[in-house]
Amino acid sequence: MQTQLFGLHITLFGVVVILAYEGGRGIGVFIGLVGLFTGILGSFRDSSKSEDKKNI
């Protein structure tokens, strides 16, 4: 869950960079994509850990 929220924060930071800087569109999109992938990977990791706890 925390990794998903961290990915969301990175994505929102990318949006802020896009809106704040006129020439920062490329880097803002890159930061947003990194945040998106972080959130997606975090969702897969959290689901596998919760299943391990249920089996104990």
Side-chain angles (χ1 to χ4, degrees):
M1 179 74 165
Q2 289 179 352
T3 308
Q4 293 170 343
L5 292 175
F6 181 63
L8 178 66
H9 283 95
I10 294 173
T11 303
L12 291 176
F13 180 71
V15 171
V16 168
V17 169
I18 290 172
L19 294 175
Y21 300 106
E22 222 171 283
R25 182 167 299 227
I27 192 71
V29 169
F30 177 73
I31 292 171
L33 288 176
V34 168
L36 182 68
F37 289 131
T38 302
I40 290 172
L41 291 176
S43 67
F44 288 126
R45 265 192 212 152
D46 287 343
S47 65
S48 65
K49 286 183 181 179
S50 64
E51 289 175 6
D52 290 339
K53 290 179 183 178
K54 290 178 185 175
N55 291 334
I56 292 176

